[in-house]
Amino acid sequence: MLVLAGYFLEVTARKLGIRQLKISTAAQSLLLHYNWPGNVRELEHVISRAALKARKEAKARDIIALLPEHLELATSAVSADNSLATAYPILYSNGLGLKAATEEFQKQQIIQILSQTSGNWSLAAKQLDLERANLARLAKRLGIKVEKTVRS
């Protein structure tokens, strides 16, 4: 999860023209212990909003740190166990780079949604907010078998 947060920090820093955007250890802990009732986009939005708040408060624009008070997280969804670490252990492996961890996360998400939709690629694409053809190309690139369904 912190790998994805780091990626969103980089993207947000570029968008806002910040040389370096960091996240404090306390804020990292909050992110790790949050139950994330939404999806990856929720994390992206939390990081973006926190960066905007931090930039507004910062005196210099070179290096800005996100603090716990910048994060808009529902306190009821913060728990002692780390459900994302359990659900996506690959994201917590120290041996993976950002690209490999991101691809593994995408692969796990696609497989999970396909399982939930009983292999319905159109419905899975809709749930993943992708065009069906783009989902098929992404799945192929990630090594997920794309099965053609025969229509009667």
Side-chain angles (χ1 to χ4, degrees):
M1 202 282 297
L2 290 179
V3 173
L4 287 172
Y7 171 76
F8 292 135
L9 281 171
E10 289 180 30
V11 169
T12 303
R14 260 185 271 133
K15 285 181 184 176
L16 298 177
I18 301 170
R19 189 170 64 92
Q20 189 174 13
L21 189 58
K22 295 181 172 188
I23 187 160
S24 71
T25 305
Q28 286 179 23
S29 180
L30 270 180
L31 291 175
L32 285 172
H33 292 92
Y34 188 69
N35 283 333
W36 297 106
N39 57 23
V40 175
R41 264 188 249 144
E42 181 182 3
L43 172 63
E44 181 179 16
H45 293 279
V46 165
I47 296 292
S48 294
R49 285 190 303 270
L52 285 170
K53 284 182 177 180
R55 186 178 83 170
K56 182 179 176 185
E57 296 172 6
K59 301 210 185 316
R61 303 270 175 169
D62 286 349
I63 300 175
I64 297 176
L66 301 186
L67 303 173
E69 56 267 21
H70 297 134
L71 301 174
E72 293 178 16
L73 300 174
T75 53
S76 62
V78 177
S79 72
D81 78 324
N82 188 352
S83 57
L84 268 184
T86 305
Y88 302 107
I90 195 72
L91 298 181
Y92 295 89
S93 170
N94 293 332
L96 289 180
L98 177 61
K99 182 178 180 186
T102 303
E103 287 177 350
E104 185 59 32
F105 179 80
Q106 289 174 322
K107 185 175 181 176
Q108 289 178 11
Q109 282 294 101
I110 292 168
I111 290 169
Q112 179 183 351
I113 296 297
L114 281 170
S115 174
Q116 291 172 0
T117 60
S118 301
N120 184 325
W121 285 82
S122 295
L123 187 56
K126 186 175 183 178
Q127 287 185 16
L128 291 165
D129 196 26
L130 292 170
E131 297 287 329
R132 189 196 182 292
N134 289 340
L135 175 59
R137 280 190 289 278
L138 178 59
K140 184 176 180 181
R141 184 174 61 80
L142 296 172
I144 300 170
K145 185 166 172 63
V146 179
E147 295 181 17
K148 303 275 185 191
T149 55
V150 178
R151 297 181 191 210
S152 314

